[in-house]
Amino acid sequence: MLKNNLKKYFPWFKNNNNWIYLDSAATSLKPIAVIKKIEEYYTKYSTNPHNNDSSIASKVNQDIKKVRSNISNFFNVEQNEIVFTSGATDGLNLIQSNVIKWLKQDDEVVVSYGEHSSNLLPWLNARNNKKIKLVFAKDKNNKPSETAFINAITKKTKVISFSNASNLFDYQIDVKNIVKHARKINKNIIVIVDATQSVPHTKFDARNNDVDFFVCSAHKMCGPSGIGIMYGKYKHLIKMEPNTYGGGMVSTVENNGKINLAPPPERFEAGTPNTEAILGFGAAIDFLKKIGMNNINNHEIELKKYIDQQFKHIKNIEYVTKDNIYPIVSFNIKGVNPQDLANYLGTNKIIVRGGMACVKMQGMFSNNPNGYVRASFYLYNDKKDVDRLVTVLKNFDQKKQFKNIL
């Protein structure tokens, strides 16, 4: 476990005394370093970085470049391969809207029923509007798995798009292994990774994994909302067109109206950037690096083992993430609607999520069409938080709870 109690770095805990925060898979809490960086921008600078006619604006411009460099080093890629987006959803839509133009009729795209809506819905929409074939990687129970993805790849496969860590279930995908098998069948297969749930917890090396694209959101890794990144190999980015046109993303506009796009990544970043969020994202990366990704991962592995042990003592529990290496804990109590159970936990000052958690096709392989209660832990959680959750769950009285609701 981490030696220091990291709650002291997060003002939320001071302002919400006696509350337990177990919803980090939805959004993480923000450390004071991130909050101060955003405050610093508003109180000291607050200028548009596209304006370099003053020393203040020029400094902001340089600070954004430093953040891009910091993020590229964090993921072991080149600076011009990092595109700032509004989040993972924005990035995945930008990728899909371009990749679909490169496909022909009956080309196969491999996804799974367990994908988050941001990775699934763009491909479902593409299938409905273009004659591509959407192939679902699944085992005999329709559940996603690494083996299922490998078995789904054929010579017709042109794209594989998947989350390497589920936001609700207990499967995780070894990206490097998937890529290795895919390249053997077709060296030009495009591999897209939704790394949103994995990068807050473990180091992700995009170059070593040889992925073509990946996305993540800052708000799930101690950063602000409204900012994320899309990584793409430069050979792909240079062929891609932006979804948004405006200031800052063109080199020139000729008198005849011809638009000459700026090189990546600027061509995908039209308009005034979300400056304060970008700077806050940089502060979040610095904070995670200071704690150490290996330290975070080891802390969470130990915490997850403790959760698994303690959950054995809860009656009538349906625990579906026992084998998950990430600290995402999904469960139900038999006969209880997950949102009712989440509400009960909320009345006891424990913040969780109940329902489908944006995994809209989980009914294809899940035994519970209403979803699950999800308690997601992060670097600031500890065994005391687990004990509190377990105690409250043990005290759950279905008849009494429903009486209180009614």
Side-chain angles (χ1 to χ4, degrees):
M1 302 290 286
L2 289 167
K3 293 181 180 180
N4 296 323
N5 183 350
L6 298 186
K7 285 183 170 67
K8 63 184 179 182
Y9 296 112
F10 294 83
W12 188 92
F13 292 104
K14 181 179 179 180
N15 294 315
N16 296 279
N17 193 30
N18 296 324
W19 280 82
I20 305 294
Y21 189 78
L22 301 180
D23 200 23
S24 294
T27 194
S28 66
L29 300 178
K30 319 307 173 192
I32 190 65
V34 170
I35 297 168
K36 284 186 174 180
K37 178 59 70 171
I38 295 171
E39 180 185 40
E40 178 188 57
Y41 167 73
Y42 279 126
T43 56
K44 291 187 177 181
Y45 307 108
S46 201
T47 58
N48 192 319
H50 285 172
N51 172 13
N52 281 313
D53 296 330
S54 68
S55 59
I56 292 178
S58 180
K59 182 185 184 309
V60 174
N61 187 290
Q62 292 303 312
D63 285 347
I64 289 178
K65 289 181 179 179
K66 289 178 182 177
V67 172
R68 198 189 303 270
S69 175
N70 194 11
I71 292 173
S72 66
N73 289 333
F74 190 74
F75 294 113
N76 190 28
V77 297
E78 299 298 324
Q79 292 184 46
N80 60 6
E81 296 176 319
I82 293 292
V83 177
F84 288 120
T85 66
S86 66
T89 299
D90 184 28
L92 286 166
N93 276 271
L94 177 57
I95 296 166
Q96 186 274 340
S97 65
N98 277 275
V99 170
I100 193 68
K101 299 172 187 175
W102 307 340
L103 303 182
K104 302 187 298 295
Q105 185 169 332
D106 295 328
D107 281 347
E108 294 182 355
V109 176
V110 177
V111 293
S112 81
Y113 292 125
E115 300 303 321
H116 188 280
S117 291
S118 57
N119 190 37
L120 179 63
L121 297 187
W123 291 114
L124 286 174
N125 184 56
R127 182 191 66 177
N128 294 337
N129 291 287
K130 186 172 181 176
K131 301 294 184 179
I132 63 165
K133 183 179 180 182
L134 204 58
V135 176
F136 288 93
K138 55 188 179 181
D139 63 15
K140 62 181 180 180
N141 297 314
N142 283 339
K143 187 176 180 180
S145 69
E146 189 174 319
T147 301
F149 270 99
I150 291 172
N151 291 339
I153 301 169
T154 71
K155 291 183 178 180
K156 292 184 178 181
T157 304
K158 297 299 187 293
V159 179
I160 313 167
S161 190
F162 62 94
S163 170
N164 64 329
S166 172
N167 69 317
L168 190 62
F169 294 99
D170 64 351
Y171 69 89
Q172 45 271 329
I173 307 295
D174 183 335
V175 175
K176 194 170 185 178
N177 194 33
I178 293 287
V179 173
K180 182 180 72 173
H181 284 273
R183 302 280 190 236
K184 287 180 180 178
I185 296 173
N186 178 358
K187 66 179 182 179
N188 295 317
I189 282 180
I190 294 172
V191 180
I192 304 166
V193 178
D194 175 3
T196 310
Q197 293 296 340
S198 65
V199 294
H201 309 290
T202 59
K203 186 70 175 173
F204 185 81
D205 188 321
R207 193 193 307 274
N208 185 50
N209 283 308
D210 192 25
V211 299
D212 294 279
F213 297 95
F214 85 85
V215 300
C216 66
S217 294
H219 73 94
K220 295 183 190 291
M221 48 194 305
C222 296
S225 298
I227 191 71
I229 60 160
M230 177 197 79
Y231 157 79
K233 288 182 176 178
Y234 195 81
K235 68 177 183 180
H236 297 316
L237 296 182
I238 198 65
K239 296 188 300 180
M240 291 169 58
E241 297 177 354
N243 287 347
T244 304
Y245 285 73
M249 48 76 68
V250 294
S251 294
T252 60
V253 179
E254 299 178 16
N255 290 337
N256 63 5
K258 181 183 177 183
I259 298 171
N260 297 308
L261 297 174
E266 288 81 9
R267 70 170 55 176
F268 306 109
E269 297 176 357
T272 299
N274 191 354
T275 306
E276 61 273 36
I278 293 173
L279 299 178
F281 193 4
I285 294 292
D286 287 339
F287 177 79
L288 294 177
K289 287 165 66 176
K290 184 177 180 179
I291 302 300
M293 293 307 297
N294 286 336
N295 293 330
I296 293 170
N297 186 231
N298 291 334
H299 168 78
E300 292 176 342
I301 288 173
E302 189 173 341
L303 190 63
K304 182 60 169 54
K305 289 179 180 177
Y306 185 72
I307 294 167
D308 292 347
Q309 293 171 356
Q310 299 307 307
F311 265 44
K312 294 177 182 178
H313 306 299
I314 302 172
K315 293 181 179 179
N316 297 320
I317 195 164
E318 299 172 339
Y319 183 26
V320 298
T321 52
K322 289 191 291 290
D323 298 323
N324 201 352
I325 64 172
Y326 295 100
I328 294 175
V329 180
S330 299
F331 60 93
N332 278 323
I333 288 180
K334 292 179 182 178
V336 180
N337 185 287
Q339 291 183 312
D340 290 337
L341 187 56
N343 177 268
Y344 162 75
L345 292 171
T347 61
N348 284 273
K349 294 189 175 183
I350 300 177
I351 298 175
V352 296
R353 182 169 182 181
M356 301 181 75
C358 289
V359 186
K360 296 301 183 182
M361 294 191 75
Q362 64 179 270
M364 294 298 294
F365 63 89
S366 168
N367 293 325
N368 195 323
N370 295 317
Y372 296 87
V373 175
R374 183 186 69 191
S376 46
F377 295 75
Y378 200 18
L379 51 86
Y380 35 68
N381 293 118
D382 53 32
K383 290 181 179 180
K384 291 181 180 179
D385 296 333
V386 178
D387 293 340
R388 172 88 171 272
L389 173 64
V390 171
T391 297
V392 173
L393 286 172
K394 284 181 177 179
N395 292 335
F396 177 74
D397 185 316
Q398 185 171 345
K399 292 182 180 179
K400 182 179 179 180
Q401 175 65 13
F402 287 163
K403 182 180 179 180
N404 290 338
I405 292 175
L406 297 173

